Amino acid sequence: MLTLHEAIAAVLQNGAKTAREIADEINCRKLYGRKDGRDLPAGQVSARVNKYRHLFKCTDGKIMLK
């Protein structure tokens, strides 16, 4: 199991995506599991991207790797 920022980076290998698209793909591929067992929400992706600005950048609503 990957950390959330690792899972986001893995999804972004194929290009920029919105937080919703990232969350959906992470959930579909089961790359990251929340402790409560619920699906990953887009808001949590956005929060992690903002925390890890050295890894990710956001342009026009799309998140990409730096």
Side-chain angles (χ1 to χ4, degrees):
M1 191 69 61
L2 302 173
T3 64
L4 180 52
H5 63 279
E6 290 171 336
I8 294 168
V11 168
L12 291 176
Q13 293 296 319
N14 297 324
K17 298 183 184 302
T18 65
R20 173 81 272 146
E21 292 168 334
I22 294 167
D24 288 346
E25 189 166 339
I26 288 172
N27 290 328
C28 186
R29 293 171 52 188
K30 300 186 186 317
L31 297 175
Y32 174 78
R34 288 173 38 137
K35 290 179 184 176
D36 63 8
R38 297 172 125 181
D39 280 347
L40 175 68
Q44 191 172 351
V45 171
S46 295
R48 187 60 59 97
V49 165
N50 287 329
K51 184 175 181 180
Y52 285 78
R53 292 184 185 265
H54 62 284
L55 297 177
F56 308 108
K57 67 179 180 177
C58 189
T59 305
D60 297 327
K62 297 276 189 168
I63 299 164
M64 61 195 81
L65 292 170
K66 278 195 172 176

